[in-house]
Amino acid sequence: MILDFSFQNPTRIHFGRTAMSHLADELKNFGPNVLLVYGKNSIKKMGLYDTVMSTLKACGKNVVELAGINSNPRYSQLLEGVRLVREHHVDLILAVGGGSVIDCSKGIAMSAYCEGDPWTRYWENGEHVDNPVVPVASILTMTGTASEMNGGSVITHEEKKLKLGRVFPLELASPKFSILNPEFTYSVPKYQMVSGIFDIFSHLMEQYFSGDDDCVSDYLLEGDMLALVSAARKAVVNQEDYEARSNIMWCATMGLNKILALSKTQDWEVHMIEHQLGAYTDCAHGIGLAIISVPYYRHIYKYGLHRFVRYAKNIWHVNPEGKTDEQIALEGIQALSDFIAEMGIPQTLREVGATEEMLPLIAESTVKCGGYHVPTTEEVLEILKACY
């Protein structure tokens, strides 16, 4: 652990079949006005909306609703939430849904009392948040982003064709509490389930593929990856396998609540490319990550060859006997590709609505950060063409 760090995560997690029983007690810690944020109709179909509303009313809360949050939440939706917070003097934003709903809720919380344009200040310029922040809490219905226990907020500015993420300080943006019942994820369609699974896997890989030291975080990341692969294979066979779904849920939360990133430099380029793919196509986030990951890693593995060899051996159990390091690394990347196919995830950009004309625009607007290697615009375009 060669990099210094400070760590604290303020989110209180209630996990398991009885997690919802804690909602009433948690609500007592906040004022009377609640903004309920959710997606389209899924929480109503599963009966969760009625349960939440019943508890809110029993606790004497005044509820205003912001419904219809997109899978890639829009800045226009965030601004509508800002309007509601100000108009109704909201004391708590309660997000019921997946990462997109929680991301949007955190964005609203950061932006509600911002002086000036929040997008320019907080997402484009990364300025310090100098205004009051509304508390956020979450009830999770789809796993993937770990937004239930981190400070991240990814928002799409539809007019500018930009999808940008901002990781706000944990003490400001992390949900005050999050309710995680794996049974709430059963109603998610298989396509969205596997999208979430790969989003988790991508988070783990992008923290893992960096550094040359012997770091405790790398061993923890490997354990999370192994647990995720095992649970994912069970969940695609039986989507109501409670143990598998609970393990996937906790893999996600652990994967991006910063505990596994300590003393790591990290490489988030796959996410940067996918963000702009999403801005142009509105594709499911995890699906876009899966399509981009294999061509990206085939492009950059030589710059961190030792780590890709370790990944191949420890995650995919590649037999190194009689093989060069390069052969081992490439076999590991191929095993990743095989896993993506096993999950039934699309493997080309055409399948998510990208056109050839979009590719240069996506490449040009992608943030270049990298880890072992920072790609140029030309290299990003080459990677996108390999995905097409």
Side-chain angles (χ1 to χ4, degrees):
M1 304 291 281
I2 61 175
L3 302 181
D4 296 349
F5 59 84
S6 299
F7 176 76
Q8 178 183 2
N9 193 304
T11 302
R12 184 163 43 254
I13 296 289
H14 300 291
F15 190 99
R17 291 185 173 98
T18 63
M20 273 293 286
S21 65
H22 297 276
L23 179 58
D25 284 340
E26 290 287 2
L27 289 172
K28 294 174 184 177
N29 298 316
F30 303 94
N33 302 320
V34 175
L35 174 62
L36 181 65
V37 184
Y38 55 97
K40 296 182 181 176
N41 296 314
S42 61
I43 69 166
K44 292 185 176 179
K45 288 180 180 178
M46 64 191 290
L48 182 57
Y49 173 86
D50 290 338
T51 301
V52 172
M53 286 297 291
S54 176
T55 304
L56 287 166
K57 296 298 185 183
C59 292
K61 303 300 182 182
N62 306 311
V63 183
V64 60
E65 300 181 29
L66 177 61
I69 302 302
N70 293 81
S71 58
N72 289 302
R74 309 284 202 266
Y75 185 55
S76 59
Q77 294 174 320
L78 182 153
L79 292 179
E80 174 61 12
V82 165
R83 183 188 70 79
L84 292 171
V85 166
R86 290 178 172 176
E87 183 177 321
H88 296 275
H89 307 288
V90 165
D91 300 299
L92 174 69
I93 301 172
L94 181 58
V96 183
S100 298
V101 171
I102 306 171
D103 275 21
C104 189
S105 297
K106 286 186 280 190
I108 294 166
M110 297 299 108
S111 305
Y113 297 106
C114 173
E115 294 185 11
D117 177 46
W119 175 265
T120 302
R121 290 193 59 196
Y122 295 155
W123 278 267
E124 287 191 349
N125 297 340
E127 293 181 25
H128 173 71
V129 177
D130 57 5
N131 51 258
V133 173
V134 184
V136 174
S138 77
I139 300 172
L140 190 65
T141 64
M142 178 181 170
T143 56
T145 68
S147 194
E148 66 274 7
M149 201 179 184
N150 66 35
S153 176
V154 180
I155 303 296
T156 298
H157 197 302
E158 55 268 51
E159 294 179 3
K160 294 187 176 183
K161 289 287 185 184
L162 288 173
K163 180 179 176 181
L164 297 179
R166 171 72 191 272
V167 180
F168 293 98
L170 289 172
E171 64 273 16
L172 290 181
S174 287
K176 301 304 179 186
F177 67 88
S178 287
I179 290 172
L180 279 62
N181 182 342
E183 294 172 322
F184 292 169
T185 67
Y186 289 174
S187 64
V188 172
K190 185 177 181 181
Y191 186 85
Q192 293 296 333
M193 181 187 76
V194 297
S195 175
I197 287 169
F198 199 84
D199 191 14
I200 304 165
F201 204 68
S202 184
H203 294 159
L204 300 172
M205 290 190 295
E206 296 206 274
Q207 292 168 94
Y208 184 76
F209 289 124
S210 66
D212 302 307
D213 56 316
D214 188 27
C215 181
V216 171
S217 295
D218 290 323
Y219 294 92
L220 296 174
L221 285 160
E222 288 174 350
D224 208 336
M225 281 190 265
L226 289 168
L228 181 62
V229 170
S230 175
R233 285 174 166 155
K234 295 172 184 175
V236 294
V237 175
N238 176 12
Q239 288 184 234
E240 296 191 8
D241 182 326
Y242 180 84
E243 184 176 56
R245 298 304 290 270
S246 65
N247 284 336
I248 291 168
M249 179 174 269
W250 195 237
C251 282
T253 304
M254 284 297 293
L256 203 59
N257 62 12
K258 289 201 171 183
I259 192 71
L260 303 188
L262 299 178
S263 197
K264 294 289 297 178
T265 52
Q266 308 176 45
D267 174 4
W268 290 95
E269 192 61 47
V270 171
H271 265 69
M272 297 303 100
I273 298 171
E274 195 289 324
H275 282 177
Q276 284 312 104
L277 171 65
Y280 278 86
T281 67
D282 202 31
C283 71
H285 179 53
I287 301 300
L289 292 171
I291 293 168
I292 294 163
S293 289
V294 172
Y296 175 76
Y297 290 132
R298 283 179 176 151
H299 186 84
I300 63 101
Y301 77 93
K302 291 182 180 179
Y303 298 99
L305 183 59
H306 63 289
R307 180 51 55 86
F308 281 89
V309 169
R310 175 174 169 173
Y311 169 78
K313 292 192 291 187
N314 291 357
I315 304 305
W316 301 114
H317 311 297
V318 171
N319 183 355
E321 188 174 348
K323 299 169 186 172
T324 65
D325 281 354
E326 185 169 335
Q327 288 172 326
I328 296 166
L330 287 172
E331 193 170 331
I333 297 170
Q334 182 58 47
L336 171 64
S337 180
D338 294 342
F339 176 69
I340 292 168
E342 182 183 344
M343 293 295 103
I345 297 174
Q347 293 184 284
T348 68
L349 293 177
R350 294 187 301 276
E351 293 173 84
V352 295
T355 65
E356 288 188 75
E357 292 74 22
M358 290 179 184
L359 304 189
L361 300 173
I362 294 169
E364 181 64 36
S365 59
T366 291
V367 175
K368 317 303 189 298
C369 55
Y372 290 119
H373 174 69
V374 179
T376 64
T377 296
E378 290 72 25
E379 287 177 289
V380 173
L381 181 57
E382 183 180 335
I383 291 162
L384 288 167
K385 288 179 178 177
C387 302
Y388 196 73

